[in-house]
Amino acid sequence: MNDILTIDALINDLAKYGNRVAIEDGTKKLTFSELLAKVASRAAYLLQKGLSSDDRLGIALRDDSDMMLMLLAAGYAGIPVVPINWRLSPSAQVELAERFGIKIIIGVRPT
């Protein structure tokens, strides 16, 4: 089996499909080129916040393109991710962060 990371596959596809739509989420559309630029920008943001491969990033986002971008950005930066149910209360999210050693949580406020 050929082991390839998701981010490597994205970069490989960029060469082939650069201007084709990679993500369509409601009214949002991103080409492969735009997707890679956003992923790289968010990865840089995570690194600027002091995250590294030794840390854990909590992601408490809805199942949409923003979550996909953040998952890819974390992978691009080499940062492990702990998925968190975005519907949990802030106190429950903090409890999970403490239990699993999550340094930062990126998320939305529960409705």
Side-chain angles (χ1 to χ4, degrees):
M1 182 173 165
N2 184 6
D3 292 333
I4 185 165
L5 298 175
T6 302
I7 199 67
D8 293 335
L10 174 63
I11 291 169
N12 289 339
D13 285 347
L14 177 60
K16 290 188 265 183
Y17 308 116
N19 292 323
R20 291 189 188 171
V21 174
I23 294 179
E24 189 168 352
D25 180 13
T27 58
K28 289 185 199 176
K29 286 186 182 182
L30 292 174
T31 65
F32 280 90
S33 296
E34 292 166 334
L35 175 61
L36 185 58
K38 285 189 177 283
V39 165
S41 173
R42 290 181 185 197
Y45 171 80
L46 295 173
L47 294 171
Q48 287 171 354
K49 289 296 181 185
L51 289 167
S52 72
S53 61
D54 294 331
D55 298 313
R56 290 184 182 99
L57 171 67
I59 296 182
L61 296 169
R62 293 178 176 93
D63 296 337
D64 61 13
S65 60
D66 288 330
M67 182 182 72
M68 183 182 210
L69 285 168
M70 195 53 68
L71 287 168
L72 289 170
Y76 191 85
I79 301 165
V81 170
V82 177
I84 298 173
N85 184 339
W86 66 270
R87 292 178 181 90
L88 291 176
S89 67
S91 61
Q93 290 184 16
V94 168
E95 182 182 324
L96 283 174
E98 290 169 353
R99 186 181 310 157
F100 293 103
I102 296 169
K103 186 172 182 178
I104 293 176
I105 297 174
I106 304 269
V108 296
R109 295 205 183 273
T111 54

